[in-house]
């Protein structure tokens, strides 16, 4: 096997014996076969105008399936490959790439091709979430074909960079689509304090990103005496009016994905995984894990949607009732000892408060904005992000999104005027909202986004971070700090081009980076 798509790849170069994530070589092989089937199908459709949306959906699901920590189920990946192969045969198409060729060849071309492929995998997750809420966008759909086909076309390095920037722009459209889908379905998020303790009685923990799954679960748990707790990237759900109106949506349990084995080990409750990040479950809680959508693990209970998209969570709910939950309320804290976290500072809240924010900047009450966002992960050097946030000046505001925030979101850093200093803007896809806010601030101050007192400090782990980074670069945003390590799929040339063209910085120490930013 060879896989180097995530930040925890073995030795920082590539997993070759088995995945650090727990992915087995045969699963990696099936993912490569699936990827090649999708590329071949896209190549054969490249010049067709009216591609059936069922084919787009297959490619979106195939790409989403190959994201880190989504599917460990070789059989279902092979079945998906089979469905794509049938489409290819129906078209009379030919295979244009083999798994042996996928991650080989000229180092720089391999790097650029992998960057686009991993970005497409990330965007597929966002497109999938929008699709289940009935939203799709022709440009985004057709770019899945264009992008996958382009992976086997010949391009110069400059042409590759152009493609990556074009893709970054398309991913903004995809994130905008998901933003529209979420806010239309559930309303604009509003600030809310979310408790971290667990009440007595049966409960279910829901993790992943899919708000539609959570909504269906909330509908089905109504009046059943079963509470629901968010975990990981599901935390921002509490800010959405149409989700928080369910009284059984009680609070947030646990922190980010890499702590799940410790956190799920002995809770008297089942856990529903709606998307990544699923770690191979250990024996103590194996029988309490339920997966849905493209998330799969052999022998785990999987809940599929019926032809109308409905998911029957009754087995999960019965399981929660049988386990019974805790006898008494359990007081829990975040990683820094805090007992509540806040979320819901979405795009609209920030824009509604723009006059107050602008006044605070003009008066000097706010000296700087830091967007400290992205994925969390297991590597110890990720403590950088906690230390960075702790060391930011008292008159600065920390905007955050995605699961990296669990390292600091329970810290009490005080307030500036009516706002807490840490403002949680949502999930990773809410990078779209953060961009909207930055653009609005730049408009108010009659300057460019790069001239604002704003610095982006990103942490990456999997492929959604790749598409978000490409989107930010496509907007011309410069001086982004990225860590905790350089992606293994960036060749030296590609890394140097990115650093030179976009002034991207690889994180060093919080002290040094803060000094550079603020001097
Ligand atoms: Fe290794 Fe990451 Fe690939 Fe898993 S997803 S096999 S950890 S590079």
């Amino acid at each position: 096997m060879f896989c180097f798509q995530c930040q925890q790849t073995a030795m920082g170069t590539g997993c070759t014996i088995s995945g650090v994530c727990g992915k087995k070589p045969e699963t990696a092989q099936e993912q490569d076969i699936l990827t090649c089937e999708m590329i071949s199908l896209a190549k054969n459709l490249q010049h067709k105008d009216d591609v059936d949306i069922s084919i787009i959906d297959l490619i979106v699901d195939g790409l989403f399936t190959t994201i880190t920590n989504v599917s460990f189920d070789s059989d279902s990946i092979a079945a998906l490959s089979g469905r794509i192969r049938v489409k290819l045969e129906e078209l009379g198409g030919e295979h244009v790439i083999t798994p042996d060729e996928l991650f080989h060849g000229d180092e720089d071309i391999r790097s650029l091709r992998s960057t686009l492929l991993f970005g497409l995998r990330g965007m597929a997750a966002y497109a999938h979430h929008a699709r289940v809420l009935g939203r799709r966008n022709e440009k985004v759909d057709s770019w899945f074909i264009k992008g996958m086909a382009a992976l086997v076309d010949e391009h110069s390095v400059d042409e590759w960079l152009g493609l990556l920037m074009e893709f970054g722009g398309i991913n903004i459209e995809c994130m905008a689509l998901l933003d529209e889908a979420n806010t239309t379905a559930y309303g604009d998020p509003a600030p809310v304090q979310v408790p971290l303790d667990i009440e007595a009685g049966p409960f279910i923990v829901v993790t992943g990103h899919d708000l539609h799954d959570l909504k269906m679960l909330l509908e089905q748990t109504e009046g059943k005496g079963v509470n629901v707790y968010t975990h990981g990237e599901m935390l921002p759900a509490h800010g959405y009016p149409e989700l928080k109106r369910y009284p059984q949506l009680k609070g947030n349990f646990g922190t980010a994905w890499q702590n799940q084995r410790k956190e799920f080990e002995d809770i008297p409750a089942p856990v529903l995984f709606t998307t990544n990040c699923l770690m191979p479950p250990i024996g103590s809680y194996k029988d309490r894990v339920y997966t849905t959508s493209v998330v799969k693990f052999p022998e785990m209970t999987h809940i599929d949607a019926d032809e109308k998209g409905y998911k029957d969570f009754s087995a999960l709910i019965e399981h929660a009732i049988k386990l019974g939950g805790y006898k008494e309320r359990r007081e829990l804290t975040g990683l820094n000892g805090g007992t509540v976290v806040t979320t819901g500072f979405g795009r609209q809240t920030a824009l509604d408060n723009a006059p107050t924010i602008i006044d605070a900047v003009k008066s000097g009450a706010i000296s700087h904005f830091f967007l400290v966002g992205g994925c969390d992960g297991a590597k110890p050097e990720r403590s950088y992000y906690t230390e960075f946030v702790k060391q930011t000046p008292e008159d600065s505001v920390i905007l955050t999104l995605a699961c990296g925030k669990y390292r600091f979101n329970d810290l009490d850093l005080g307030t500036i005027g009516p706002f807490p200093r840490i403002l949680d803007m949502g999930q990773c896809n809410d990078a779209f909202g953060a961009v909207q806010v930055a653009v609005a601030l730049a408009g108010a101050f009659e300057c460019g986004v790069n001239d604002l007192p704003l610095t982006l400090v990103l942490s990456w782990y999997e492929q959604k971070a790749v598409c978000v980074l490409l989107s930010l670069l496509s907007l011309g945003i410069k001086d982004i700090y990225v860590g905790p390590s350089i992606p293994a799929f960036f060749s030296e040339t590609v890394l140097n081009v990115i650093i030179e063209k976009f002034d991207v910085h690889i994180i060093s120490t919080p002290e040094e980076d803060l000094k550079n930013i603020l001097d």
Side-chain angles (χ1 to χ4, degrees):
M1 71 175 281
F2 180 78
C3 183
F4 64 166
Q5 68 171 345
C6 84
Q7 192 269 327
Q8 67 178 2
T9 196
M11 314 290 287
T13 53
C15 295
T16 54
I17 298 167
S18 194
V20 174
C21 60
K23 184 162 77 182
K24 299 218 167 88
E26 54 270 28
T27 312
Q29 174 72 4
E30 289 300 345
Q31 290 186 342
D32 289 352
I33 293 170
L34 172 61
T35 302
C36 291
E37 294 288 354
M38 291 189 291
I39 293 171
S40 297
L41 183 58
K43 186 72 191 153
N44 280 277
L45 290 166
Q46 192 176 18
H47 301 297
K48 291 206 170 21
D49 290 334
D50 53 346
V51 178
D52 194 293
I53 55 169
S54 66
I55 291 184
I56 307 281
D57 290 348
L58 263 182
I59 290 179
V60 166
D61 287 353
L63 285 165
F64 189 5
T65 297
T66 53
I67 288 180
T68 302
N69 289 342
V70 169
S71 179
F72 295 84
D73 187 2
S74 305
D75 290 348
S76 65
I77 298 168
L80 197 44
S81 295
R83 289 171 64 198
I84 290 169
R85 203 171 305 123
V86 167
K87 297 280 183 198
L88 184 63
E89 284 163 6
E90 282 171 4
L91 286 167
E94 291 179 355
H95 286 99
V96 294
I97 185 168
T98 66
D100 288 344
E101 296 165 326
L102 195 54
F103 298 116
H104 289 94
D106 175 85
E107 199 192 348
D108 296 328
I109 300 303
R110 176 181 90 140
S111 173
L112 291 156
R113 188 200 296 139
S114 301
T115 305
L116 181 57
L117 171 63
F118 300 155
L120 282 160
R121 288 178 176 175
M123 185 168 82
Y126 299 150
H128 177 99
H129 296 317
R131 187 182 84 205
V132 296
L133 291 172
R135 301 279 164 155
R136 56 191 321 142
N137 168 319
E138 221 175 285
K139 248 165 106 182
V140 172
D141 279 356
S142 59
W143 226 91
F144 281 110
I145 302 292
K146 177 175 177 170
M148 291 300 277
L151 296 173
V152 282
D153 287 340
E154 298 257 326
H155 311 284
S156 66
V157 169
D158 277 349
E159 285 167 348
W160 271 113
L161 288 169
L163 259 177
L164 289 172
M165 292 305 99
E166 186 183 329
F167 165 74
I170 292 293
N171 184 54
I172 291 170
E173 294 203 27
C174 189
M175 289 193 292
L177 187 70
L178 180 53
D179 178 284
E180 187 195 358
N182 283 337
T183 52
T184 303
Y186 312 122
D188 284 313
V192 61
Q193 283 210 325
V194 183
L196 300 179
D197 51 7
I198 299 201
E199 295 188 9
F203 67 99
I204 294 168
V205 174
V206 190
T207 190
H209 305 68
D210 199 310
L211 301 178
H212 185 52
D213 286 331
L214 174 64
K215 167 82 169 158
M216 281 191 275
L217 181 64
L218 290 170
E219 284 167 353
Q220 293 175 42
T221 45
E222 263 193 301
K224 298 259 171 62
V226 175
N227 291 329
V228 176
Y229 292 86
T230 56
H231 178 272
E233 273 281 70
M234 201 56 89
L235 166 63
H238 294 275
Y240 287 91
E242 284 303 312
L243 297 173
K244 77 175 176 194
R245 73 183 176 83
Y246 291 89
Q248 76 272 28
L249 181 62
K250 290 291 181 187
N252 184 76
F253 169 73
T255 53
W257 67 273
Q258 75 281 358
N259 300 321
Q260 65 190 250
R261 285 183 164 169
K262 196 169 60 173
E263 291 172 351
F264 297 160
E265 189 180 12
D266 57 4
I267 53 170
V271 183
L272 174 65
F273 280 84
T274 66
T275 61
N276 61 327
C277 295
L278 169 70
M279 291 173 80
I282 49 176
S284 58
Y285 69 90
K286 233 173 167 170
D287 63 326
R288 289 187 275 116
V289 171
Y290 290 72
T291 58
T292 188
S293 187
V294 295
V295 191
K296 283 193 178 141
F297 196 89
E299 295 165 39
M300 299 286 108
T301 308
H302 187 76
I303 300 171
D304 260 329
D306 65 17
E307 62 285 354
K308 289 188 179 149
Y310 178 79
K311 295 182 183 178
D312 179 357
F313 290 121
S314 53
L316 170 67
I317 296 166
E318 286 308 314
H319 199 160
I321 292 169
K322 196 169 148 210
L323 289 169
Y326 291 115
K327 298 249 176 309
E328 290 174 0
R329 184 169 160 273
R330 287 283 280 243
E331 288 184 7
L332 298 170
T333 66
L335 293 176
N336 303 286
T339 55
V340 291
V341 292
T342 55
T343 188
F345 290 93
R347 165 181 57 82
Q348 200 54 49
T349 298
L351 295 178
D352 289 347
N353 285 285
T356 315
I357 295 169
I358 291 162
D359 284 349
V361 174
K362 284 183 176 162
S363 71
I366 294 176
S367 68
H368 205 92
F369 296 92
F370 297 93
L371 173 64
V372 186
C375 327
D376 206 354
K379 302 259 176 182
E381 54 267 36
R382 284 179 182 270
S383 60
Y384 168 94
Y385 296 95
T386 319
E387 289 310 311
F388 184 95
V389 167
K390 281 183 180 170
Q391 292 180 32
T392 52
E394 285 177 8
D395 57 358
S396 65
V397 170
I398 317 294
L399 307 168
T400 189
L401 41 84
C403 68
K405 63 179 160 242
Y406 281 103
R407 291 193 172 257
F408 51 79
N409 68 345
D410 65 322
L411 286 170
D412 181 3
L413 293 189
T415 55
I416 296 181
F419 308 111
R421 280 192 53 220
I422 298 178
L423 303 177
D424 179 4
M425 299 194 76
Q427 298 180 336
C428 53
N429 45 288
D430 292 309
F432 167 74
V435 166
Q436 296 296 103
V437 172
V439 168
L441 282 178
F445 288 107
E446 297 180 349
C447 66
V449 170
N450 288 321
D451 303 316
L452 288 170
L454 165 71
T455 308
L456 278 62
V457 184
L458 306 182
S459 54
W460 86 281
Y461 170 69
E462 41 86 327
Q463 298 75 55
K464 282 180 268 181
V466 178
C467 67
V468 171
L469 178 63
L470 291 173
S471 290
L472 296 171
L473 297 183
S474 77
L475 289 168
I477 296 177
K478 293 195 167 184
D479 276 318
I480 301 174
Y481 286 70
V482 180
S485 57
I486 299 164
F489 51 87
F490 280 177
S491 68
E492 205 179 320
T493 314
V494 171
L495 179 67
N496 286 338
V497 168
I498 289 173
I499 289 174
E500 278 164 30
K501 209 169 155 64
F502 300 102
D503 296 331
V504 168
H505 308 265
I506 306 302
I507 60 167
S508 58
T509 63
E511 294 78 9
E512 197 175 319
D513 290 345
L514 273 166
K515 188 169 178 307
N516 282 341
I517 292 165
L518 297 172
D519 270 359

